[in-house]
Amino acid sequence: MNYKQWIEESAPDLIESLRGCVQIRSVYEEDGSGFPFGRGVQDCLNYMLSLAAEMGFATYNLDNHLGWCEWGEGEEMVAVLGHLDVVPEGDGWQMPPYEGRVQDGKIYGRGTMDDKGPTVAALYALKALKESGAKPTKRIRLIFGLNEENGSADMKYYAQKGQQTPVFGFTPDGEYPVINGEKGLVNAAFRCRYAQPGDLVLTYIKGGTAHNIVPAEAIVWLQCPPKLAEQILQRPQTAEICRSRTATGIEIKALGKGAHGGTPQEGINAIGLLMQELQALPLAPELAAKVNFMAARIGTEYDGASLGIAQKDEISGPLTLNLGTVEGGENGFEVKVNYRYPVTKSFEDCGPALEQQFAEAGFEKTWFSHKKSLYLPPESELIQKLTRVYHECTGLEATPKAIGGGTYAKMMPNTVAFGPIFPGDEVREHKPDEFIEVTRLIENAKIIAAAMYELAK
Ligand SMILES: [Zn+2]
């Protein structure tokens, strides 16, 4: 049987399998269960492994860090990387987040698009190839990742344990046509300390929720004599800064605009605004020096210009920088930053310069993570094959694109992100009422099957 026909006839089963998967709340949890990523994630892995086994595939569980099923013969292996963990449902749902409700041609629920839908579609794609009588020369391994949303410790474990590297791989956890470039991704935290002799004392400062989100709000409490509080209240009014009296002094709130850390130009950084406001106040000298550094070298910038690390390339655009959080009080504060450098650049082009400036300003680095940029030229074999598959399946133009985000592709050699979102489709990952259209689910299964075969034939 033709694999496309098999997928179409199996659509009701595919939908039911996805619904079952969505009904398991596989959010990362330190729940004392003894499973590396918590009970929910583990249950979801077991669910997928037994589904794969029922379909007749060999399955493997790598110490509960991830699992896979595999089909075919040959020394070499082609990998498809999906993930079963999901971000928490959050607020604002009209639909039940863990029911898998099918309504008006859509399947609703956390993970339907990111990434359970594409992963279940990939399992059916593999089965469709098997049923079609195809005889690929390489093995096809469908990997069920479990920690994509929380640092990809699963893929690190896979590498650590010396598991096989694919000759070609893709992860249906990005966009079509294909993502051939991902910016380098750096997260870092810096802490400073200070003494505050004098009349004006910062007792509390807090802003932002995560390193990779543009902070919409930041707040500071200052302790000071009534006369000084009065002077601060008299400062010129702006829409972004709210000042109010407290029992012991004054509270200042900065209002920015939230955005994803990968597109900081769409937001306004509230911590930057707050630092600029604080810069104008008669703070104690040690604190003033730290605040001046934050206000002058970053402030509300998102391109690293005043840090001297602004850079860009043709393929992926400019370096972006986000000052994500600040938290502290009387003796010190800590900031978390997230920056993404262009795909043809390296950490050496920006990281050391940034770190040196924080060090010179008296900050100590307390946290650091780095994922290198990824770039495969359009003429490379993997990109050629995947763009051809996409074009043949959809009839659409297939120009590879570069993104600021990070996928599993960064964690596995010879791998790029391919699908599942089509150009122009609404972005719904990590949002309330996440969904996948039934037609898109089926289309994904067909494209994934075609890509598996093209890479493994
Ligand atoms: Zn994902």
Side-chain angles (χ1 to χ4, degrees), residues 83 114-115 148-149 173 430:
H83 68 89
D114 181 16
D115 191 41
E148 199 275 340
E149 304 289 3
D173 192 25
H430 299 202

Side-chain angles (χ1 to χ4, degrees), residues 268-283:
I268 299 169
N269 197 304
I271 299 173
L273 292 170
L274 188 64
M275 291 293 175
Q276 287 166 348
E277 165 73 9
L278 285 173
Q279 198 181 16
L281 306 182
L283 299 168

Side-chain angles (χ1 to χ4, degrees), residues 63-78:
D63 307 332
N64 298 324
H65 281 71
L66 59 90
W68 63 79
C69 68
E70 200 172 88
W71 173 67
E73 309 276 325
E75 274 297 300
E76 294 183 323
M77 180 267 286
V78 163

